[in-house]
Amino acid sequence: MSVKRDRGGYMTTSESITEAVNVLQQLGLREYEAECFVGLTRLSRGTAKEISEVTEVPRTRVYDSVRVLEAQGLVVTQHTSPKRFQTVPIEEVIQTFRDQYERNLDRLADALEAVTDVERESREMTHEVGTISGRDAITDRAERLITDATSEVVLIIGEQSLFTTECIESLSDVDDEVTLFVGTANESLQTRIENAVPRAETFVSGAEWLEDERGVEDDRAIGRLLMIDRSAILVSTVTRSTDDEHAMFGVGSENGLVIVARRLLAQGTLPVRDPDQE
């Protein structure tokens, strides 16, 4: 007898048994439990002696294994003399493992989120500073920062190509209780932002380094400067000739990068004052 593989190959019955046992072990069964379950599947119904004969699992271990399988809802016991055991339908077996797998995934998600929260707090305490390269990666980080804002979002756009549909959607989704400031290097972009994101308080930045001038020796420009809740900062540069974008980010209200950026924004570029200078 042979079983056809999904990819066009074939497995012998022996190979199928081995693969089934291996997969069951990966799903959490011990070796004897997996062997007994596969052996009982072959028998459809059998005694401990018959299961032992078809699997070569010692009879005393068959009883132990079957008790575990029965507790997991994979085997039922018929109280005859001698006792006979039978597997539940394959569909039920698969559903049982699927439910268990999904429960484990939920537990893993909860655990990882808890670890992430602790790690995030740890990074904030150590004043994290890092770099990111690539427009997609920087955009993803910026969107996550904006989503996490609880009190204030300040975004200054120096490169017009960064004012995309994704940017508009991200800004439009900011909670109504969060103050939203969007600055630009020129009035034409300010008008576009006012039309696209009416709730944003817009302004033209007074910082000279944001001016949209194409230098001969250096075609790099400030791409975006994003500050969230005055405790997280992301600033990027764009190379116009290649459209490459690189960014630096900092986290923590006492982070040096955050403090410098916060005070820079307060020097005539933002219609609010830096609390550190009040």
Side-chain angles (χ1 to χ4, degrees), residues 118-154:
V118 172
E119 180 65 18
R120 183 180 294 114
E121 292 176 2
S122 174
R123 288 199 302 267
E124 290 179 357
M125 293 180 64
T126 57
H127 313 313
E128 177 190 9
V129 174
T131 59
I132 317 173
S133 296
R135 181 161 297 190
D136 290 343
I138 295 171
T139 296
D140 287 343
R141 173 60 68 96
E143 290 179 351
R144 288 200 300 272
L145 287 171
I146 292 173
T147 299
D148 291 340
T150 59
S151 61
E152 182 183 77
V153 172
V154 180

Side-chain angles (χ1 to χ4, degrees), residues 138 142 146 153-163 167 171 180-186 189-190 193 200-212 221-228 232-238 245 260-272:
I138 295 171
I146 292 173
V153 172
V154 180
L155 173 63
I156 297 181
I157 302 174
E159 178 62 31
Q160 297 194 43
S161 64
L162 294 176
F163 188 59
C167 179
L171 294 175
L180 176 60
F181 295 104
V182 182
T184 69
N186 55 69
L189 181 55
Q190 180 187 22
I193 294 173
E201 183 173 343
T202 65
F203 61 97
V204 176
S205 172
E208 295 180 356
W209 43 267
L210 276 178
E211 290 299 326
D212 191 13
I222 296 298
R224 52 186 134 189
L225 194 157
L226 174 66
M227 179 170 284
I228 303 297
I233 184 75
L234 182 148
V235 58
S236 75
T237 59
V238 175
E245 185 176 13
V260 170
R262 190 166 60 217
R263 293 182 178 179
L264 177 62
L265 288 174
Q267 297 301 316
T269 64
L270 189 63
V272 292

Side-chain angles (χ1 to χ4, degrees), residues 2 5 20 25 91 129 146 165-166 177 191 202 211 221 256 274:
S2 61
R5 289 181 181 268
Q25 288 182 264
E91 294 78 8
V129 174
I146 292 173
T165 301
E166 291 77 10
E177 296 181 358
T191 301
T202 65
E211 290 299 326
D274 176 15

Side-chain angles (χ1 to χ4, degrees), residues 59-77:
R59 190 185 305 184
T60 56
R61 301 303 301 273
V62 169
Y63 284 110
D64 293 336
S65 298
V66 169
R67 276 196 292 269
V68 173
L69 295 172
E70 185 176 23
Q72 295 191 24
L74 302 175
V75 166
V76 294
T77 300

